[in-house]
Amino acid sequence: MTESPQVITIDGPAASGKSTIGKLVAERLGFVYLDTGAMYRAVTLAALQRGVDTNDAMAVSDIARHVRLDLRTPTLEEADGRQYTVLLDGEDVTWEIRAPRVDRHVSAVAAHGGVREAMVAQQQRIGQQGAVVMVGRDIGTVVMPDAPLKIYLDASLEERAHRRYLEAVARGERLDYEQLLAAMRKRDAYDGSRDHSPMRAAADAIQLSSTGLSISEVVDAVLVLAAERLRRPVTG
Ligand code: DC
């Protein structure tokens, strides 16, 4: 029997804290961190750059199959508060994929079956190498269903919108909280009801709510679970 690779999956809605928690857990365990949302965002940016209608499933899927995506640890020169560097056909798009226009189109792009197929294949290749914390919407259900530890992280809509609002303010952006709340509600509904791999918790996922908890409390909870569920690394 082959053992399933050492992978921790963290799924959940936007601003549930999964990227922050995932990155910290990966650092503590010496694992690779992969934010799969960044991959869907990069494909969205590629479509927008080419002037392709993001509702055109064929055209966008074709882009997803042909772009070169690379997510890696930032070099010293790149360190500007980023969690990782995203390269799209060799170009650094780490911040561009966070732009509001990408936010507006990414759900449509991520709903195309052809796009998901291309992304999932890449994610599974990375997952098979093991020692990875993988964050997204369908990682526990579709990408790595045999992962030994699957987390579904959630928080109330209001708390998530509030976090995004504070992040934007910290970056010097002006946003309307009510609009942000409405956009987030819409994106949740869209991601959770699409035909291909809708966002949901795997039946065997451990559900955690980050509402009212500090980052370190959630990280500690995941690390306790990791110590129980993951094989001890072979040493010596
Ligand atoms: O986590 P995020 O906000 O960066 O994700 C961007 C979009 O990508 C989001 O609308 C849902 C989609 N997504 C997905 O469908 N599957 C994943 N594994 C990760 C993200």
Side-chain angles (χ1 to χ4, degrees), residues 18 36-37 40-41 106-107 110 116 136-138 187 191 194:
K18 59 190 189 304
T36 59
Y40 291 96
R41 286 173 177 276
V106 67
S107 279
R116 303 205 71 81
R137 303 288 195 289
D138 61 338
R187 190 142 73 92
D191 292 340
R194 66 182 177 218

Side-chain angles (χ1 to χ4, degrees), residues 15-32:
S16 54
K18 59 190 189 304
S19 314
T20 308
I21 305 297
K23 173 79 177 163
L24 289 169
V25 168
E27 275 173 12
R28 291 282 290 275
L29 295 173
F31 279 21
V32 168

Side-chain angles (χ1 to χ4, degrees), residues 10 13-22 153-155 160 163 210 215 218:
I10 307 182
S16 54
K18 59 190 189 304
S19 314
T20 308
I21 305 297
L153 189 64
D154 209 345
R160 293 187 289 115
R163 287 179 191 160
S210 64
I215 290 169
V218 181

Side-chain angles (χ1 to χ4, degrees), residues 150-154 200-210 225:
K150 303 186 207 178
I151 307 282
Y152 190 85
L153 189 64
D154 209 345
R200 62 178 173 80
D204 54 350
I206 293 171
Q207 306 222 16
L208 294 178
S209 167
S210 64
L225 291 164

